[in-house]
Amino acid sequence: MTDDRVAAAGRGATTIADRVVAKVAAQAAREALDGVPEGGAPPHASVTVRHDSARVRVGVELEYPSDLGAQCGAVRRQVVHRVGTLVGMEVPEVDVRVERLHSERSRLAARGRTG
């Protein structure tokens, strides 16, 4: 009797859409930050996938004043970890773009009052 089982690598391929990787990256960025600033938008991401590697761009809005560098570093680390763990892709690059800062003063101005 012969063993006719096909090795796992020979059974087919798994393809994960860029938008799925982007969704995982955006969720990872949310996890890294302690929530969305009042009146702010949640993090969003876009990715470029090549084979088993994803280059990620994340847009975030942060509270001001705060340690912006530390928060961006936390986003990078969490995106690399979660994309690697959940999707199985290497992430050689995570660009974090701070798109807006939210302060008490900007919230008051948005409500039509100045402080």
Side-chain angles (χ1 to χ4, degrees):
M1 193 172 232
T2 63
D3 189 359
D4 291 331
R5 287 184 273 174
V6 177
R11 292 185 204 142
T14 300
T15 303
I16 299 174
D18 290 13
R19 70 180 178 274
V20 173
V21 180
K23 208 169 227 187
V24 169
Q27 178 60 38
R30 279 190 288 280
E31 292 168 2
L33 301 172
D34 291 328
V36 176
E38 181 184 330
H44 58 91
S46 61
V47 301
T48 303
V49 175
R50 299 253 190 277
H51 308 289
D52 289 335
S53 178
R55 296 194 184 284
V56 180
R57 288 168 302 286
V58 179
V60 297
E61 296 185 11
L62 302 174
E63 281 292 338
Y64 180 83
S66 64
D67 188 342
L68 304 177
Q71 291 181 77
C72 291
V75 168
R76 282 187 192 93
R77 286 187 298 278
Q78 186 68 0
V79 167
V80 168
H81 172 71
R82 297 295 272 173
V83 171
T85 301
L86 297 175
V87 183
M89 289 185 178
E90 197 175 306
V91 183
E93 180 180 322
V94 179
D95 292 328
V96 179
R97 179 179 176 159
V98 179
E99 297 178 341
R100 188 171 175 199
L101 295 175
H102 294 269
S103 67
E104 184 61 31
R105 186 175 215 175
S106 67
R107 282 190 288 276
L108 289 172
R111 292 183 195 133
R113 298 185 306 243
T114 57

